[in-house]
Amino acid sequence: MPSIFDILGPVMIGPSSSHTAGAAKLGYVARQLLGAEPKQAEITLYNSFARTYKGHGTDRAIIGGILGMKPDDEMLRNSLEIAKERGLKYTFKLIMKAPKLHPNSARINLTDLDGNKIEMVGSSLGGGRIEIVEIEGFKVSFSVMTHTIVIIADDIPGSIAHISGAIAEKNINIANMFVSREEKLANMIIEVDQDVPPEVLEKIRSFKWVHYVRLVEPIL
Amino acid sequence: MEINSFEDILKYCREMKATIPEVMIEYEIRKTGRTREQIIEGVRKILNVMIESVNNGLTRDVKSPSGLLNNFAKKVYNAKVNTLTVNFKKAIARAMAVSEVNACMGRIAAAPTAGSSGIMPAVITTMMEEHGITEDKAIEGLLVSSAIGLLIVKNASVAGSEAGCMGETGSAAAMGASAIVYLLGGDNRQIESAACFAIQGAMGLVCDPIAGLVEVPCIFRNAIGVANAFTSAQIALSGVESVIPLDEVILAMNEVAELMSPKLKETAQGGLANTKTAREIQRRFIYQIDIGK
């Protein structure tokens, strides 16, 4: 059942909930996955995003999101100019036909000042809703409707127990947990019911077999 | 608390001895666990964004990146000619103002969609200006309109890609018509009839945006959506009842949506989008767009 605020709203920057608001969210999620101020962004737009990005401001929306602007921030309109001021270098590549991806999809590669990188693929599903479908080569599927912890760790026995223990210790309820494996690494997507204090993330980060931890906050 | 039909809403109104806005607040409380105050403040925020978007469109320079829209709302608002009254002209201009703000990457409240975001702000701000409707009362009007929108989302669609412009500006006009009737003291059956007339007036309306942009004909359909809302409300408030009940009208809307060709559902492959001139515009301004088949 929809909420009345699905009918009245969302408040957003036009012109399109899928091509503008959803695109800004994708950029914003990529920024959170990087976890630092990005200095370089390589963006690939696929399918409908590639064909109609200019008229819908998809490029401005994604760059704005990468700069930390939310979908209702009027600065989105000037994001390309603001990127220049803040020293963010960006490139756009267009791929008109990527049949395996949703019609409105983007790949975002970010690099911070220290050379840390993140790669993410996400889709804009309509009405401002998004789905993240790939992180660092791992196939994933989550929609950032709630606080989401993203982890990459060695695929060793007991890792899930240690991580869920660190989360449960602070009385945080895990709503969903998805695990996928690539060779010797495991990717975990953990959706929780509330905000996650930094000490929980620090504890997970302190495990020697954990390589990457980020918290992605929902964008309402 | 399930709301699947207008009859459900009327049933809750009877059981709770409440108005439609009260029923919608109760629905939202049970659905989200938010408090009554939070919900009202949420709607107030939407109202303020609507008012701001109208004002921005009438005062800022709003020329869209494609150049297809260029400060049209101001032209209408300040026109010397009035086809009917000054008020009517202003109502139309307000819808166009928000459409232009939307096209120029300004802030809007989708109601129910970004493409149809001009209609509800035009209806509500016009009611506030012409009828002295207070902010609190306007919030009630928005809650009534949300009931109509909810029924369409549940039983048909508000997405251009599924129900064409009928789903977008048709739904917004029905929402607007119901709000006008409520704000002018109409009863629940009159609210229902007004929504029926508005949908009937937009039945089968296609979504054929030039170059795939939310600009033309969207802005004109938003303007006409406001006229539809006030027309439908006028007829319903005069005591004329819809022959077909709202629940059936929405089902008919869903049937028509299914019968419509995909070329007429936001894909920019049919209708105005497929005219010689539209194709030329596409090539000239926005060469990235797929020509389609």
Side-chain angles (χ1 to χ4, degrees), chain B residues 148-213:
Chain B
I148 305 300
L150 188 76
L151 295 176
I152 299 173
V153 167
K154 285 227 71 178
N155 299 303
S157 170
V158 298
S161 57
E162 290 171 348
C165 202
M166 162 179 72
E168 300 215 15
T169 63
S171 299
M175 290 164 61
S178 68
I180 296 165
V181 170
Y182 175 82
L183 293 172
L184 293 179
D187 63 27
N188 289 350
R189 285 296 176 197
Q190 291 174 326
I191 288 171
E192 176 184 14
S193 284
C196 287
F197 299 144
I199 295 171
Q200 288 168 25
M203 194 69 85
L205 191 60
V206 304
C207 178
D208 51 355
I210 291 179
L213 300 171

Side-chain angles (χ1 to χ4, degrees), chain A residues 1-20 47-61 71-79 94 96-97 220, chain B residues 2-4 24 27-28 31-32 34 39 42-43 45-46 49 56 60 102-112 114-115 142-143 145-146 149-150 153-154 175 212-215 286-290:
Chain A
M1 280 298 270
S3 153
I4 61 166
F5 293 103
D6 295 324
I7 314 292
L8 303 172
V11 173
M12 53 169 270
I13 300 306
S16 161
S17 60
S18 55
H19 285 66
T20 321
N47 302 329
S48 170
F49 261 13
R51 292 195 291 271
T52 65
Y53 78 95
K54 247 192 181 152
H56 288 118
T58 307
D59 50 347
R60 292 179 175 272
D72 65 346
D73 190 336
E74 283 212 306
M75 300 293 274
L76 282 179
R77 201 184 332 165
N78 307 314
S79 69
L94 307 177
M96 302 298 169
K97 277 186 185 146
L220 298 173
Chain B
E2 282 281 309
I3 295 180
N4 294 309
M24 296 315 292
Y27 165 83
E28 191 69 12
K31 176 168 168 59
T32 63
R34 297 167 81 182
I39 293 162
V43 180
K45 186 187 165 202
I46 300 287
V49 171
N56 284 343
R60 287 186 185 177
N102 184 53
C104 297
M105 295 191 81
R107 188 189 291 116
I108 55 101
L142 285 173
L143 284 164
S145 74
S146 79
L150 188 76
V153 167
K154 285 227 71 178
M175 290 164 61
L213 300 171
V214 193
E215 298 189 16
I286 318 131
Y287 57 91
Q288 291 94 344
I289 291 174
D290 191 6

